[in-house]
Amino acid sequence: MELARARAIVDFVVSEAPRPVSVFVADAHGELVAAATMDGAAPDTRLNAQRKAYTAARSDARTTRELAGKARENPVERASFDPFFTFFLGGVAVFDGDRRIGAVGVSGLPGDVDEQLVLRAIAASE
């Protein structure tokens, strides 16, 4: 994930969020590239956004929603997950063709809204 694209994603999320959120953009290893916490966002949104991006970057799923569905169907798989993974909605992997280059996590809104905001931000950054 290039810094310029990560910053564009952060800027989009900050400008389009209907309420204060935290956004975390990670590289393909789940490590920080760019992040922001809007004024007024709850402190726990920082860690939640980080965990969402980390999960989407490091799991084999494209989104935290997809991973939650897989885990729900297979308790053995769920038990073997990285303890930093989360199943909260709002984490989405970013791809360059078929190659996963990073992920984005947003926290502070209802999960479906977090996820839609991330999808819009990724699309706007392409």
Side-chain angles (χ1 to χ4, degrees):
M1 172 74 67
E2 294 179 358
L3 178 60
R5 185 169 186 191
R7 290 180 64 182
I9 290 169
V10 168
D11 290 346
F12 183 94
V13 168
V14 168
S15 69
E16 295 292 321
R19 292 197 316 261
V21 299
S22 289
V23 54
F24 191 101
V25 182
D27 64 16
H29 302 285
E31 299 298 329
L32 176 66
V33 178
T37 299
M38 295 172 66
D39 295 341
D44 66 322
T45 62
R46 291 181 190 109
L47 181 58
N48 288 337
Q50 179 184 8
R51 290 183 67 198
K52 290 176 182 186
Y54 175 89
T55 302
R58 296 185 63 100
S59 74
D60 62 349
R62 297 179 76 85
T63 67
T64 50
R65 176 191 298 272
E66 181 182 316
L67 185 63
K70 288 177 63 175
R72 189 176 310 111
E73 296 166 7
N74 187 343
V76 173
E77 187 171 331
R78 182 175 58 242
S80 67
F81 280 147
D82 180 326
F84 202 64
F85 278 7
T86 186
F87 301 116
F88 290 129
L89 304 184
V92 179
V94 179
F95 290 85
D96 181 9
D98 290 335
R99 185 171 62 94
R100 186 180 310 250
I101 60 170
V104 182
V106 168
S107 180
L109 305 167
D112 286 334
V113 181
D114 284 342
E115 183 179 71
Q116 287 304 311
L117 183 56
V118 172
L119 290 168
R120 290 176 38 227
I122 292 170
S125 74
E126 293 178 336

